[in-house]
């Protein structure tokens, strides 16, 4: 059986939007964690907004560690009812997305979700999230889009593993209590 992992940067006040605030805390530990996550999964699962932002930025990105190469080569699934087509090694899922994700997981695929807060809320509602990796940055930004909307399905999670980087970023991996 495959696995669906959500990976998200958040602040202490729960904001995930426009994470330019991560730069001051970036270090080798966080970079390695992100690289390991990306290479440890078979495909990305993205919502429309995140897909469009990534597709505009990553194809021309370069780095010395291979993150950009992996972002560009890894298959992508985009959940959207408004997109008509995708590029950048992506396949559109525009109907029965919960059933399609269940099917992908049954084939053994390991799916990684970045950004895509509306999608994440829905994935939690359908009990499709197997792990939640939160990278909590030690700052308050005061405003911005929160990771979870008010009214998200109540779900209990258990802590699988946690550690902090030298820069104070808490990385905590959770699994839903099932």
């Amino acid at each position: 059986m495959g696995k669906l992992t959500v990976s998200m940067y958040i602040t202490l006040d729960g904001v995930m939007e426009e994470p330019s605030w991560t730069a001051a805390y970036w270090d080798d530990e966080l970079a390695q964690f992100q690289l390991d996550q990306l290479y440890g999964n078979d495909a990305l699962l993205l919502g429309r907004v995140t897909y469009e932002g990534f597709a505009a930025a990553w194809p021309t990105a370069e780095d010395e560690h291979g993150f950009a190469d992996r972002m560009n080569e890894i298959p992508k699934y985009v959940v959207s009812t408004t997109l008509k087509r995708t590029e950048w090694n992506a396949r559109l899922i525009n109907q029965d997305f919960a059933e399609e994700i269940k099917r992908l997981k049954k084939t053994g695929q390991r799916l990684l979700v970045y950004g895509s807060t509306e999608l994440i809320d829905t994935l939690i509602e359908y009990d499709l999230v197997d792990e939640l990796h939160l990278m909590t940055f030690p700052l308050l930004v005061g405003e911005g889009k929160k990771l979870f909307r008010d009214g998200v399905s109540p779900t209990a999670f258990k802590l699988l593993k946690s550690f902090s980087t030298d820069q104070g970023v808490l990385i905590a991996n959770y699994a839903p209590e099932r």
Side-chain angles (χ1 to χ4, degrees):
M1 185 70 157
K3 182 168 136 182
L4 191 148
T5 301
V6 171
S7 180
M8 188 66 70
Y9 299 139
I10 62 169
T11 61
L12 290 173
D13 52 349
V15 173
M16 53 68 61
E17 185 176 40
E18 298 298 329
S20 58
W21 35 261
T22 63
Y25 301 93
W26 199 261
D27 62 14
D28 290 341
E29 285 176 286
L30 189 56
Q32 189 63 53
F33 178 79
Q34 286 290 54
L35 194 61
D36 290 347
Q37 269 196 129
L38 189 58
Y39 275 93
N41 284 280
D42 301 311
L44 295 179
L45 178 65
L46 307 169
R48 179 190 56 83
V49 173
T50 301
Y51 164 75
E52 289 176 336
F54 281 12
W58 282 107
T60 58
E62 295 179 5
D63 69 273
E64 59 191 51
H65 303 291
F67 193 88
D69 290 341
R70 180 66 175 160
M71 282 293 285
N72 289 315
E73 72 187 16
I74 193 170
K76 296 147 197 86
Y77 298 98
V78 181
V79 176
S80 174
T81 58
T82 57
L83 275 179
K84 300 299 180 215
R85 63 182 182 88
T86 58
E87 299 173 352
W88 189 50
N89 196 23
R91 191 180 116 217
L92 183 61
I93 301 173
N94 58 5
Q95 56 187 345
D96 299 326
F97 84 91
E99 289 304 314
E100 180 64 12
I101 293 168
K102 286 177 189 175
R103 188 191 67 72
L104 290 169
K105 287 173 64 175
K106 283 181 183 173
T107 67
Q109 287 212 44
R110 294 165 298 169
L111 304 169
L112 179 62
V113 180
Y114 288 137
S116 312
T117 58
E118 291 176 34
L119 176 60
I120 292 167
D121 286 347
T122 306
L123 292 169
I124 289 172
E125 184 179 321
Y126 283 93
D127 193 28
L128 293 170
V129 174
D130 299 298
E131 285 192 23
L132 185 60
H133 296 180
L134 298 180
M135 291 153 280
T136 306
F137 288 73
L139 78 155
L140 305 171
V141 295
E143 62 182 29
K145 190 173 189 176
K146 305 281 190 203
L147 174 53
F148 300 109
R149 65 171 160 61
D150 288 342
V152 70
S153 297
T155 306
F157 287 84
K158 63 183 173 187
L159 181 65
L160 300 175
K161 173 173 118 176
S162 67
F163 65 96
S164 63
T165 68
D166 289 341
Q167 295 295 322
V169 177
L170 177 63
I171 300 175
N173 300 348
Y174 299 93
E177 294 274 4
R178 292 189 168 124

